[in-house]
């Protein structure tokens, strides 16, 4: 499930602090390209996710961002992501 993976990526980055695309791809058993698409989706959902290149670089979420994991049920999380995905597709098809 893509939505589940998106939340898992966010939680992983919040807990670990920083990770590389290859590390995330290996952890979630997807391609690096899929990770970059997921990061675009996460960013479009309003989560401040950033990537830096070079030695010591990686993917991270702004330090002051707080996601209260207990506020939303798993079903609510999936519904929010589904709505965001549908809205993005609507914009794409209307363009």
């Amino acid at each position: 499930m893509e939505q589940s993976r998106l939340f898992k990526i966010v939680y992983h980055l919040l807990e670990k602090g920083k990770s590389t695309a290859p590390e995330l791809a290996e952890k979630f058993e997807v391609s690096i390209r899929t990770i970059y698409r997921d990061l675009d989706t996460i960013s479009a959902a309003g989560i401040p996710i950033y990537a830096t290149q070079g030695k010591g670089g990686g993917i991270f979420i702004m330090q002051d961002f707080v996601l209260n994991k207990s506020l939303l049920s798993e079903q609510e999380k999936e519904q929010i992501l589904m709505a965001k995905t549908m809205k993005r597709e609507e914009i794409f098809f209307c363009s």
Side-chain angles (χ1 to χ4, degrees):
M1 293 251 160
E2 179 187 354
Q3 290 88 6
S4 177
R5 184 178 65 245
L6 296 175
F7 277 104
K8 288 177 182 177
I9 290 170
V10 171
Y11 294 152
H12 176 79
L13 292 173
L14 286 172
E15 290 174 12
K16 188 171 179 193
K18 185 174 16 173
S19 190
T20 65
E23 289 171 347
L24 291 172
E26 183 177 337
K27 177 170 180 59
F28 296 105
E29 299 178 344
V30 296
S31 70
I32 294 172
R33 179 67 190 125
T34 297
I35 291 296
Y36 284 121
R37 281 193 297 266
D38 289 349
L39 297 176
D40 286 341
T41 302
I42 292 167
S43 179
I47 296 175
I49 194 162
Y50 297 93
T52 56
Q53 294 180 342
K55 187 173 182 169
I59 300 159
F60 63 95
I61 295 176
M62 296 245 331
Q63 289 181 348
D64 59 348
F65 179 75
V66 177
L67 178 64
N68 190 339
K69 298 178 187 179
S70 64
L71 288 178
L72 302 172
S73 70
E74 193 65 34
Q75 181 180 9
E76 290 169 326
K77 293 172 193 173
E78 290 182 21
Q79 289 172 343
I80 289 169
L81 280 176
M82 182 85 63
K84 287 297 254 184
T85 302
M86 290 172 61
K87 182 67 176 169
R88 206 170 88 221
E89 289 174 1
E90 179 182 308
I91 291 169
F92 177 76
F93 288 119
C94 291
S95 299

